[in-house]
């Protein structure tokens, strides 16, 4: 179960990101209006989130083959 530590780290990172998104939402609602730079960064964040979603889904298609050479 060597992957457990990796998943724990990923889930910690995602929780931190989720908290930061909530903070941004509160900031945009109560502190300061979004500007063009904010919107560009949000779009960049959305694109990366889409890439990560696809990469996570691709993990389900990986099959175990201990005889296959390491791609490194």
């Amino acid at each position: 179960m060597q992957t457990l530590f990796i998943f724990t780290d990923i889930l910690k990172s995602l929780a931190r990101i989720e908290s930061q998104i909530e903070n941004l939402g509160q900031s945009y609602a109560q502190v300061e209006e979004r500007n063009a730079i904010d919107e560009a960064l949000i779009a960049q964040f959305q694109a990366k989130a889409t890439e990560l979603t696809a990469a996570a889904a691709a993990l389900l298609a990986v099959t175990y083959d201990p005889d296959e050479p390491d791609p490194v």
Side-chain angles (χ1 to χ4, degrees):
M1 196 90 191
Q2 296 176 358
T3 60
L4 185 59
F5 292 115
I6 296 171
F7 279 113
T8 300
D9 191 42
I10 290 170
L11 292 174
K12 276 179 34 179
S13 296
L14 289 174
R16 183 170 173 256
I17 292 168
E18 186 176 23
S19 175
Q20 291 171 320
I21 291 170
E22 289 173 11
N23 290 341
L24 281 171
Q26 288 177 348
S27 181
Y28 293 143
Q30 299 172 348
V31 178
E32 185 176 15
E33 199 172 2
R34 280 187 323 272
N35 60 41
I37 293 172
D38 292 324
E39 295 198 359
L41 290 170
I42 292 168
Q44 185 178 12
F45 169 65
Q46 284 181 305
K48 189 60 171 178
T50 299
E51 288 177 22
L52 290 173
T53 298
L59 288 174
L60 294 172
V62 175
T63 55
Y64 178 66
D65 183 357
D67 296 327
E68 185 174 317
D70 192 357
V72 178

